[in-house]
């Protein structure tokens, strides 16, 4: 039975038993900040297990996309080496929020596995909690299972809880398959494969550990599709099922490389590639892009591990992007987002793979040097591991794998310490730095969750306000209030005219006014955020913490929005829609929005694409400005998500939408997007529109920063001022003459550089060292001559700093000259702090300049690096005389 058929049979069975089929939630959780990725089928329903009466459906079934890589739940290291560990997997699940209990789910589960899937009862057994007599009796007396096939276990195996603290929990019952592994008897646990877990959430664990019966018991079940497929397809390894074989069968390895590998190693590398392709594709499809932080770094690690596996198979090209069609064929029907985002996925994969292939050989060369030079303790130092990570892009777990393959280990404790120190340096160099803000953010998040659980509501009425008016005030009533530890406060008012941060748009600010006992009190609205369920806007009020008495529930207040800020946001949000449309027109529909920031004076738009040419950027600007000048009236529609997609509305795929009711903003004939932001009434105020910059922010991802309307006019006015100042400095009679003057300056500068280059060539040949010393470097005792140059021997156009600390260009040229004329030795040339080391690698066997320079720095402290033939750096202390080299043996 194919995986696709299992998936279909499962959902159809539970739909026929009264369940509502819901599409998989996103891998990136939208309402659970505690998780890096969705790692179980129950994650999207967590809030309903905490508050079952709020569940919109009482019986649900789903096939949930899950990722376990990074964070607490991390299977990355085991992938490919074990039969059943995966970074990406599909979890078949069915859930009840008070509709039925353990009796019903036990009977349904047994019918499904024995009737629908045709598993023989003789090949099955179940486990129950020792104290759960009810479940035992149902299996034994109602299902009719032989008591020998019902195993009682302790709470470590058959009791589930949501984390380690208070919350819903309960006993579980697991269903196992007899693998008939001849190494084990029927009594051995290792012979049995668990494939379905039925959790009966019937208790609430209090803070002190007491278990209290829930008034509304729930059911949560999870069955891994990959495991069930292995059972039904008679495979001992998940990677041998049709799920993976459709990909593995298309991996074309280099036969020469493969011949040198044991067959199981060859399979391991192919399994890693197949698994990592699935995880990478689905993460990119949800807007996760490779970078060095959080989810993006996990994705980068996954892709780079796959690239390394491909390299070991002799594949020197991008392997994942080439295999993408295999995955699309296997999973595109079940997950249409993979097909819809094909071009962007391939682009990101290809870009990241090629980037790592360029640095992989350099990093491997450094590791080989380490393995060859320091074999005493067989441990890669934390500093070397950090250099590989920071300079060559090697995730430390990849370094660990490579080290393990060579019988080495990595000093992870030292690596972690160096990484912490690096982060701390970066953090303290940032003006914001650590502050009380983190604690306040935690208080705000806690208050939002508390008010959501209490069903606090506050209707947003801001859409009806024309952003072009000068003042907007709304009378409302206080729905909730909470003091913050810094003297500020949080409040929910109903109705609320303030737009909360969301959809990339910054929040409204303004004022809340309270009149009490003939006195008027005003409090500034610092920002606004939404409750996770979107049912209310929470206002952050400055200095209101001590005025609790003014904000009793039901107290009448006046909310006044800062309309200048609202107008700026509206201009740039409408401009963002026009920009998105223009990019799709110029670059094609494969362009996907990857993020945005809308603020009163500018916008930022991230999207998937190759770099734009100046011609393309000009065309995008032109399209936006033309659309703005059309002065088209914007239209706003409310409809179902399905209707919106059918009408061609563009959705931001990293956002979560209500399937039954979405807001669609349309610029007739130009743009139609799902959007909850505030906009202009017509497009005219977007003009003029100007792109300030276009740059890369990661593999396959670009960023445009732009200004529109009055902000653009002001920006252009400033640029004109800069141009006039520059024209005066160039002594140009007019702005039109700037180009000619600048060209003359460039030509003069080039002539000076040519003169300096000629001087360097002459100086490199003729400069005489004030001191020389012969020595040896490295464990191979490479013959080396150290040459100290006088500081006055600098280029006539060198900066003053070079005349004081040495000319790096001169020492490099001199080192090359000495290498070519005296090739039987390595040569170190020093001038002040500047140092270069050059060696003829063919004449001096086993010598590498970069490695020798590191040996030199162990005696003369400094920093630097380079290639095999030439390495350069900077000494901590300037050298001006031979007696300063006594530290060199």
């Amino acid at each position: 039975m194919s995986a696709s058929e299992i998936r279909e049979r499962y959902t159809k069975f539970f739909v026929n038993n009264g369940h509502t089929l819901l599409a998989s939630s996103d891998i990136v959780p939208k309402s659970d900040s505690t998780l890096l990725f969705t790692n179980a089928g129950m994650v999207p329903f967590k809030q309903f297990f905490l508050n079952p009466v709020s569940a919109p459906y009482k019986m649900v079934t789903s096939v949930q996309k899950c990722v376990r890589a990074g964070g607490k739940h991390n299977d990355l290291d085991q992938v490919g080496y074990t039969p059943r560990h995966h970074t990406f997997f599909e979890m078949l699940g069915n859930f009840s929020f008070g509709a039925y209990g353990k009796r019903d789910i036990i009977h349904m589960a047994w019918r499904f596995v024995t009737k629908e899937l045709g598993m023989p009862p003789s090949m099955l057994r179940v486990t129950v909690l020792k104290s759960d007599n009810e479940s035992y009796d149902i299996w034994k007396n109602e299902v009719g299972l032989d008591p020998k096939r019902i195993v009682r276990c302790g709470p470590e195996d058959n009791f589930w809880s949501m984390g380690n603290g208070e919350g819903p929990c309960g006993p579980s019952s697991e269903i196992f398959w007899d693998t008939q592994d001849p190494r084990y008897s029927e009594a051995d646990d290792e012979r049995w494969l668990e494939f379905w877990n039925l959790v009966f959430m019937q208790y609430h664990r209090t803070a002190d550990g007491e278990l209290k019966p829930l008034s509304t018991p729930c059911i949560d079940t999870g069955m891994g599709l990959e495991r069930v497929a292995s059972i039904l397809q008679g495979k001992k390894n998940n990677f041998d099922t049709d799920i993976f074989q459709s990909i593995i069968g298309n991996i074309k390895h280099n036969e020469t490389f493969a011949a040198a590998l044991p067959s199981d190693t060859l399979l391991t590398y192919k399994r890693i590639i197949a698994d990592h392709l699935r995880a990478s594709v689905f993460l990119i499809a949800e807007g996760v892009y490779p970078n060095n932080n959080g989810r993006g770094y996990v994705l980068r690690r996954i892709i780079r591990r796959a690239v390394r596996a491909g390299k070991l198979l002799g594949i020197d090209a991008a392997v994942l992007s080439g295999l993408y069609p295999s995955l699309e064929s296997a999973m595109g029907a079940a997950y249409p987002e993979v097909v819809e985002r094909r071009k962007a996925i391939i682009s990101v994969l290809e870009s990241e793979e090629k980037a790592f292939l360029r640095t992989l050989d350099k990093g491997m060369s450094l590791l080989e040097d380490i393995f060859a030079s320091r074999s005493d303790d067989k441990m890669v130092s934390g500093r070397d591991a950090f250099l590989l990570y920071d300079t060559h892009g090697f995730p430390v777990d990849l370094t660990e794998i490579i080290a393990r393959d060579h019988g080495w280990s990595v000093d992870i404790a030292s690596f972690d310490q160096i990484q912490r120190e690096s982060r701390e340096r970066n953090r303290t160099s940032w003006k914001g730095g650590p502050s009380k803000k983190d604690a306040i953010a935690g208080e705000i998040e806690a208050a939002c969750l508390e008010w959501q659980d209490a069903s606090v509501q506050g209707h947003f009425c801001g859409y009806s306000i024309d952003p072009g008016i000068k003042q907007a005030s709304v009378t409302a009533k206080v729905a909730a209030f909470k003091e913050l530890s810094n003297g500020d406060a949080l409040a929910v008012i109903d109705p609320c005219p303030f737009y909360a941060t969301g959809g990339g748009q910054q929040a409204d600010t303004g004022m809340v006014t309270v009149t009490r006992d003939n006195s008027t009190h005003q409090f500034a609205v610092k920002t606004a955020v939404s409750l996770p369920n979107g049912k209310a806007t929470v206002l952050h009020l400055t200095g209101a913490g001590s005025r609790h008495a003014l904000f009793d529930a039901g107290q009448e207040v006046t909310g006044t929005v800062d309309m200048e800020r609202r107008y700026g946001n509206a201009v740039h949000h409408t401009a963002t829609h026009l920009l998105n449309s223009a990019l799709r027109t110029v670059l094609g529909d494969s362009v996907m929005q990857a993020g945005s920031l809308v603020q009163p004076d500018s916008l930022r738009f991230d999207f998937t694409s190759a770099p734009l040419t100046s011609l393309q950027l000009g065309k995008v600007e032109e399209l936006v400005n033309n659309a703005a000048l059309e002065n088209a009236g914007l239209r706003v529609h409310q409809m179902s998500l399905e209707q919106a997609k059918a009408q061609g509305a563009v959705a931001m795929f990293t956002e979560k939408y209500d399937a039954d009711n979405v807001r669609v903003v349309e610029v007739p004939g130009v743009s139609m997007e799902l959007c909850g932001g505030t906009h202009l009434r017509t497009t005219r105020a977007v003009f003029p529109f100007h792109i300030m910059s276009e740059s890369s922010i990661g593999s396959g991802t670009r960023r445009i920063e732009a200004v529109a309307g009055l902000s653009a006019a002001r920006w252009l006015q400033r640029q004109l001022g800069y141009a006039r100042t520059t024209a005066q400095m160039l002594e140009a009679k007019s702005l039109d003459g700037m180009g000619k003057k600048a060209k003359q300056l460039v030509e003069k500068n080039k002539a000076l550089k040519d003169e300096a280059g000629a001087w360097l060539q002459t100086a490199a040949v003729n400069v005489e060292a004030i001191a020389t010393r012969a020595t040896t470097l490295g464990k191979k005792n490479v013959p080396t001559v150290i040459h100290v140059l006088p500081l006055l021997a600098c280029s006539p156009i060198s900066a003053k700093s070079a005349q004081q600390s040495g000319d790096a260009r001169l020492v490099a040229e001199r080192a090359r000259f000495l290498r070519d004329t005296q090739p039987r030795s390595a040569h170190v040339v020093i001038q002040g702090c500047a140092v270069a080391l050059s060696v003829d690698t063919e004449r001096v066997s086993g010598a590498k300049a970069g490695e020798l320079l590191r040996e030199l720095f162990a005696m003369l402290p400094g920093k630097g690096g380079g290639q095999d033939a030439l390495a350069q750096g900077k000494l901590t202390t300037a050298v001006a005389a031979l007696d300063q080299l006594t530290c060199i043996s």
Side-chain angles (χ1 to χ4, degrees):
M1 190 181 297
S2 70
S4 296
E5 187 177 353
I6 297 169
R7 195 189 292 120
E8 185 178 349
R9 283 198 181 197
Y10 183 88
T11 54
K12 186 176 180 181
F13 175 84
F14 282 99
V15 167
N16 289 340
N17 279 275
H19 293 63
T20 298
L21 173 61
L22 297 183
S24 171
S25 292
D26 294 335
I27 296 172
V28 178
K30 297 298 186 293
S31 57
D32 191 339
S33 60
T34 65
L35 291 176
L36 201 61
F37 301 111
T38 298
N39 54 38
M42 58 76 61
V43 168
F45 309 108
K46 192 173 178 180
Q47 59 183 316
F48 304 133
F49 288 120
L50 294 168
N51 186 16
V53 296
S54 66
Y57 307 102
K58 298 305 177 185
M59 297 190 294
V60 168
T61 186
S62 69
V63 181
Q64 177 62 45
K65 300 175 291 184
C66 299
V67 166
R68 287 186 181 170
K72 178 182 176 182
H73 304 281
N74 182 8
D75 290 342
L76 191 55
D77 292 339
Q78 287 78 36
V79 170
Y81 298 93
T82 69
R84 296 181 181 88
H85 280 101
H86 307 293
T87 52
F88 172 90
F89 60 96
E90 297 174 80
M91 186 63 76
L92 308 173
N94 62 283
F95 312 91
S96 165
F97 308 106
Y100 57 80
K102 62 176 67 174
R103 172 171 283 102
D104 291 320
I105 185 52
I106 287 174
H107 282 284
M108 279 191 282
W110 191 251
R111 286 202 310 274
F112 180 73
V113 297
T114 58
K115 304 299 182 186
E116 289 293 324
L117 299 184
M119 293 185 184
S122 61
M123 298 289 287
L124 300 170
R125 83 173 186 183
V126 302
T127 59
V128 297
L129 185 66
K130 283 181 181 179
S131 59
D132 187 5
N133 294 321
E134 182 185 2
S135 294
Y136 182 90
D137 290 340
I138 295 170
W139 282 116
K140 176 176 177 290
N141 300 323
E142 299 183 22
V143 174
L145 199 59
D146 186 334
K148 293 180 181 178
R149 295 190 172 276
I150 310 172
V151 181
R152 291 181 181 268
C153 298
E156 66 278 4
D157 294 313
N158 282 85
F159 193 91
W160 185 92
S161 60
M162 196 177 290
N164 298 319
E166 60 180 320
C169 57
S172 67
S173 183
E174 297 174 321
I175 305 178
F176 290 77
W177 171 258
D178 185 354
T179 65
Q180 296 187 313
D181 189 327
R183 295 175 298 172
Y184 306 108
S185 71
E186 193 170 340
D188 293 327
D189 290 343
E190 291 83 358
R191 174 165 166 158
W192 295 88
L193 174 64
E194 182 266 318
F195 67 92
W196 201 353
N197 189 16
L198 317 177
V199 178
F200 317 126
M201 277 193 251
Q202 60 192 69
Y203 299 112
H204 179 88
R205 177 182 279 131
T206 63
D208 58 7
E210 183 183 358
L211 296 179
K212 293 185 176 181
L214 286 172
S215 58
T216 308
C218 298
I219 297 294
D220 159 28
T221 86
M223 176 163 56
L225 175 62
E226 293 78 9
R227 286 198 177 194
V228 182
S230 71
I231 293 171
L232 297 177
Q233 295 174 22
K235 306 297 183 183
K236 301 297 184 183
N237 192 307
N238 290 1
F239 288 100
D240 294 332
T241 65
D242 66 329
I243 297 172
F244 292 96
Q245 283 302 306
S246 59
I247 300 171
I248 291 174
N250 286 293
I251 299 175
K252 307 301 182 187
H253 58 262
N254 183 302
E255 292 295 342
T256 304
F257 275 71
L261 294 173
S263 58
D264 58 339
T265 303
L266 181 73
L267 272 177
T268 294
Y269 293 151
K270 289 191 172 185
R271 288 166 177 171
I272 289 171
I273 291 169
D275 173 274
H276 290 7
L277 172 67
R278 284 161 37 103
S280 300
V281 165
F282 279 93
L283 286 172
I284 295 168
E286 291 196 10
V288 178
Y289 297 104
N291 58 49
N292 286 332
N293 296 294
R295 299 181 179 100
Y297 183 56
V298 174
L299 174 59
R300 171 158 285 170
R301 290 167 61 200
I302 291 171
I303 293 174
R304 295 190 169 190
R305 286 169 66 102
V307 171
R308 192 245 176 184
K311 189 79 171 177
L312 293 172
L313 293 174
I315 303 171
D316 289 321
V319 61
L320 297 181
S321 52
L323 287 170
Y324 170 83
S326 303
L327 183 139
E328 183 182 296
S329 298
M331 306 187 74
Y335 299 102
E337 67 269 25
V338 170
V339 181
E340 293 168 6
R341 295 152 196 164
R342 176 192 299 117
K343 289 185 179 179
I345 292 168
I346 293 174
S347 173
V348 172
L349 285 174
E350 194 171 56
S351 176
E352 179 67 13
E353 289 185 87
K354 287 181 177 178
F356 188 50
L357 281 168
R358 285 193 293 270
T359 190
L360 179 58
D361 287 337
K362 293 180 183 177
M364 286 302 301
S365 177
L366 176 59
L367 274 172
E368 292 295 343
D369 287 347
I370 293 169
F371 297 148
S373 64
R374 291 200 302 276
S375 58
D376 45 355
D377 59 355
K378 290 195 171 184
M379 177 175 285
V380 178
S381 71
R383 190 161 298 283
D384 283 334
F386 185 76
L387 174 66
L388 283 161
Y389 161 78
D390 195 45
T391 304
H392 301 288
F394 271 52
V396 69
D397 58 315
L398 180 58
T399 301
E400 284 188 284
I401 292 172
I402 298 169
R404 187 168 64 235
D405 290 347
H406 286 74
W408 283 52
S409 60
V410 177
D411 188 347
I412 293 297
S414 174
F415 171 85
D416 289 340
Q417 178 63 28
I418 294 168
Q419 187 177 48
R420 279 194 298 271
E421 291 171 357
S422 175
R423 287 173 176 168
E424 187 60 33
R425 285 194 298 271
N426 293 337
R427 189 179 296 116
T428 53
S429 67
W430 174 57
K431 291 182 179 180
S435 67
K436 294 181 180 179
K437 291 180 180 178
D438 294 337
I440 298 302
E443 291 181 45
I444 294 173
E445 183 178 1
C448 288
L449 292 173
E450 177 187 331
W451 286 342
Q452 177 174 274
D453 291 342
S455 299
V456 171
Q457 295 192 14
H459 168 67
F460 174 62
C461 62
Y463 290 137
S464 61
I465 300 173
D466 184 341
I469 64 175
K470 298 298 182 184
Q471 184 174 345
S473 297
V474 170
T475 300
K477 291 186 177 180
V478 175
F481 181 85
K482 191 177 190 69
E483 297 180 22
L484 295 174
S485 60
N486 66 348
D488 292 347
L490 303 176
V492 174
I493 63 174
D494 187 26
C496 180
F498 298 95
Y499 180 82
T501 300
Q505 181 177 324
Q506 288 193 342
D508 285 335
T509 58
M511 197 75 64
V512 169
T513 303
V514 184
T515 301
R516 192 83 169 265
D517 300 329
N518 296 321
S519 296
T520 299
H521 309 270
Q522 290 188 320
F523 303 95
V525 177
K526 186 176 182 180
T527 188
V529 296
S530 288
L531 293 184
N533 61 9
K535 296 294 179 66
T537 298
V538 178
L539 306 180
H540 185 161
L541 304 180
T542 302
S546 61
R547 313 306 295 276
H548 195 286
L550 296 174
F551 289 91
D552 292 335
Q555 170 68 46
E556 190 173 278
V557 299
T558 301
T560 303
V561 178
D562 179 343
M563 291 308 297
E564 183 178 351
R565 180 181 175 86
R566 165 72 71 87
Y567 182 72
N569 279 337
V571 167
H572 287 97
H573 206 147
T574 301
T576 299
H577 284 216
L578 299 181
L579 172 61
N580 193 4
S581 174
L583 286 168
R584 293 167 70 88
T585 299
V586 173
L587 303 176
D589 289 340
S590 63
V591 169
M592 289 195 301
Q593 182 177 348
S596 66
L597 175 65
V598 173
Q599 46 196 4
D601 56 357
S602 65
L603 69 88
R604 190 178 73 204
F605 189 81
D606 300 338
F607 58 101
T608 58
S609 172
L612 275 71
T613 65
S614 56
L615 194 64
Q616 287 173 321
L617 285 171
K619 185 62 177 176
V620 169
E621 265 192 1
E622 180 184 351
L623 287 172
V624 174
N625 279 309
N626 287 345
L629 291 172
E630 287 291 327
N631 200 28
L634 276 72
R635 300 172 185 170
V636 178
H637 316 278
Q638 298 289 147
M639 61 184 75
S640 70
L641 181 59
E642 188 175 341
Q643 287 174 319
K645 288 184 176 180
Q647 292 186 26
V650 176
M652 172 65 175
F653 57 86
T654 57
E655 293 291 332
K656 193 70 177 172
Y657 300 100
D658 182 346
D660 299 322
N661 185 28
V662 295
R663 184 172 182 263
V664 178
V665 176
E666 179 186 11
V667 180
V670 179
S671 165
M672 180 182 284
E673 291 192 34
L674 276 64
C675 181
T678 59
H679 286 268
L680 297 168
R681 293 291 193 262
T682 67
T683 61
R684 179 64 182 80
V686 170
F687 184 85
F689 172 84
H690 181 73
I691 295 174
M692 297 186 292
S693 67
E694 187 269 343
S695 60
S696 170
I697 58 168
S699 299
T701 311
R702 310 297 296 178
R703 169 171 291 172
I704 280 178
E705 295 183 83
V707 282
L710 288 173
S711 293
R714 295 185 185 116
W715 186 87
L716 291 167
Q717 193 69 32
R718 288 196 299 273
Q719 306 314 303
L720 184 59
Y722 301 148
R724 285 171 175 155
T725 301
T726 305
Q728 291 173 357
M729 294 174 67
L730 291 171
E731 297 181 351
K733 294 181 180 180
S734 67
L735 295 183
D736 292 341
M738 281 177 61
K740 182 178 179 181
K741 286 286 187 179
K743 184 179 179 182
Q744 292 172 353
L745 192 62
V746 168
E747 290 173 349
K748 183 178 180 180
N749 187 50
K750 183 178 182 302
L752 286 171
K753 283 186 176 179
D754 290 343
E755 179 185 340
W759 183 91
L760 279 173
Q761 294 290 337
T762 302
V765 173
N766 296 296
V767 66
E768 292 186 8
I770 58 173
T772 60
R773 177 171 182 171
T775 185
T776 59
L777 285 177
K779 290 187 176 181
K780 295 183 179 180
N781 294 318
V782 175
T784 305
V785 180
I786 300 175
H787 311 258
V788 181
L789 304 185
L791 274 173
L792 292 178
C794 291
S795 163
I797 63 167
S798 295
K800 287 184 178 180
S801 60
Q803 295 174 17
Q804 295 168 359
S805 62
D807 191 324
R809 295 168 299 175
L810 175 60
V811 296
E813 283 295 332
R814 180 63 178 173
R816 288 190 187 98
F817 171 74
L818 292 169
R819 176 194 66 198
D820 295 341
T821 56
Q822 303 173 35
R824 297 193 180 279
S825 300
H827 294 275
V828 177
V829 179
I830 301 173
Q831 185 187 52
C833 292
V835 59
L837 190 153
S838 190
V839 63
D840 187 327
T841 55
E842 293 183 3
R843 298 288 188 92
V844 184
S845 178
K848 294 181 179 180
E851 185 178 316
L852 293 175
L853 187 63
R854 285 199 297 273
E855 295 287 344
L856 180 69
F857 287 152
M859 296 176 281
L860 280 178
K863 291 183 178 180
Q867 305 300 316
D868 290 351
L870 177 69
Q872 291 180 261
K874 186 176 182 180
L875 299 174
T876 304
T877 304
V879 173
L882 191 63
D883 59 7
Q884 292 177 263
L885 303 179
T886 55
C887 58
I888 299 177
S889 58

